[in-house]
Amino acid sequence: MTAAANTGFSTDWLRQREPFDLAARSQSLATGFQGALRSQAGGALRIVDLASGSGANFRALAPLLGTDQEWRLVDHDPLLLAAQRTEITKWASGHGWHCHDHKGALAIHAGPARWLVRGQQLDLASDLEDIDLASCDGLVTTAFLDLVSAAWLDRLSALLARTRRPLLATLTVDGRRTWFPGRPADHLLADAFLAHQGGDKGFGPSLGVRATPYLAASLATAGYQNSTQASDWHIGHEHRDMLLGMAKEAAAVAAEADPSSEPAVSSWLADRSTDICQGLLSLQVGHLDLLAVPIR
Ligand SMILES: C[S@@+](CC[C@H](N)C(=O)[O-])C[C@H]1O[C@@H](n2cnc3c(N)ncnc32)[C@H](O)[C@@H]1O
């Protein structure tokens, strides 16, 4: 997870990152997830998305799964929940798919498939166990697990151990972040970024870059087979707004972590802004995707 976002995630930021997420996702793990899904009710596939924001995970996965689907998009932020309908409708009409209201859910007709999407407001820190995993066929989450604590991942693991549903958890930050070309002061920003990853984002001290291996180990003990793959962002020099946003956010995090580093950080940001304007800078941000499938 990136962007100075302790207090919330704007629709604009989620919209800006969506194409980078889409390009980075592991296609083979998504296909593996599709293969592991079984419709328990014998009809549409029922998927729950944890911390769904404005619905990017649905937009990435629904076309791949193809068939009839019913999605529950869970988030605590009322503004993002409200944005889901607008963002999904805009996306669907871009594909020529018809949307309409169906008993309070959004129905999308994508060729022969019908996808039903419902938002659900829930504080996942306190109320994770309110999610009725037994009446869904698979669980997904994206750009979320680096926010949570080990204790919260233990709760997620316990839920999955009971319900035996496949999980696809994509785009969890793994700590790798490389600016090209490198500058000596990059390490200042990298150290602060790693320290920031361990902060409390509402779930207790977050595991940050250690979240994916931690959850994979816990699910292995619970009888799950796990696969992980890198899903890195490659932000090329042509994406100036994104690069500038990432550089400013990195500088803000570093200056906050150590106010005495402010002059060095400001000078780094000035140099990086020049690099960006001259089309010289690119950035790689490391993420991991995890597919966990119950084997017994
Ligand atoms: C980086 S955003 C990712 C959103 C979305 N998955 C995406 O990729 O566009 C993290 C999401 O976690 C949600 N979130 C953070 N804390 C939460 C909580 N306690 N309960 C539910 N959702 C939460 C935020 O509202 C936000 O939508």
Side-chain angles (χ1 to χ4, degrees):
M1 234 254 332
T2 53
N6 295 339
T7 52
F9 298 85
S10 70
T11 311
D12 283 350
W13 163 241
L14 298 184
R15 200 182 289 132
Q16 189 176 20
R17 63 172 292 163
E18 188 166 347
F20 297 95
D21 285 344
L22 207 53
R25 286 166 166 267
S26 160
Q27 289 306 306
S28 64
L29 294 193
T31 305
F33 179 68
Q34 178 187 30
L37 286 170
R38 300 275 171 275
S39 170
Q40 308 287 332
L45 287 173
R46 298 159 308 167
I47 318 270
V48 173
D49 181 20
L50 300 181
S52 53
S54 56
N57 217 5
F58 163 75
R59 290 187 287 279
L61 291 173
L64 200 115
L65 302 180
T67 181
D68 289 352
Q69 298 159 44
E70 291 178 13
W71 282 72
R72 188 164 294 272
L73 304 189
V74 180
D75 207 282
H76 70 155
D77 184 331
L79 294 177
L80 293 177
L81 285 163
Q84 288 173 358
R85 203 166 266 249
T86 329
E87 296 293 308
I88 292 171
T89 305
K90 214 186 318 161
W91 166 79
S93 46
H95 284 84
W97 298 329
H98 174 63
C99 296
H100 64 92
D101 185 81
H102 177 80
K103 299 178 183 165
L106 182 64
I108 299 124
H109 294 268
R114 188 178 79 147
W115 306 330
L116 271 185
V117 183
R118 278 189 189 80
Q120 180 181 0
Q121 187 171 14
L122 197 71
D123 181 349
L124 288 166
S126 50
D127 301 331
L128 171 67
E129 287 75 10
D130 285 2
I131 289 175
D132 184 9
L133 269 197
S135 62
C136 85
D137 303 310
L139 186 65
V140 296
T141 188
T142 191
F144 175 58
L145 293 186
D146 40 273
L147 298 182
V148 306
S149 60
W152 192 89
L153 287 179
D154 290 344
R155 288 165 60 197
L156 178 63
S157 211
L159 257 186
L160 288 164
R162 274 202 306 281
T163 51
R164 321 301 299 162
R165 298 294 189 263
L167 167 76
L168 182 65
T170 46
L171 290 146
T172 308
V173 166
D174 74 356
R176 291 173 296 120
R177 187 182 269 216
T178 314
W179 303 91
F180 301 100
R183 281 188 184 266
D186 287 353
H187 75 92
L188 267 182
L189 290 292
D191 295 349
F193 167 69
L194 289 176
H196 176 75
Q197 282 285 307
D200 186 338
K201 319 277 172 25
F203 296 81
S206 51
L207 273 181
V209 303
R210 291 179 293 127
T212 299
Y214 184 92
L215 181 61
S218 166
L219 288 174
T221 309
Y224 272 71
Q225 183 165 31
N226 302 302
S227 320
T228 51
Q229 273 193 13
S231 50
D232 298 353
W233 282 352
H234 296 277
I235 310 175
H237 55 79
E238 68 278 23
H239 299 291
R240 294 185 183 190
D241 288 348
M242 183 69 168
L243 287 167
L244 198 56
M246 296 295 291
K248 284 182 176 167
E249 182 255 350
V253 165
E256 188 186 317
D258 175 7
S260 71
S261 70
E262 210 276 325
V265 167
S266 289
S267 152
W268 178 90
L269 184 57
D271 289 342
R272 285 323 199 174
S273 302
T274 306
D275 291 345
I276 292 167
C277 285
Q278 293 178 345
L280 296 175
L281 188 66
S282 61
L283 173 64
Q284 181 174 356
V285 180
H287 299 106
L288 282 175
D289 286 4
L290 167 69
L291 170 66
V293 177
I295 46 175
R296 51 178 197 270

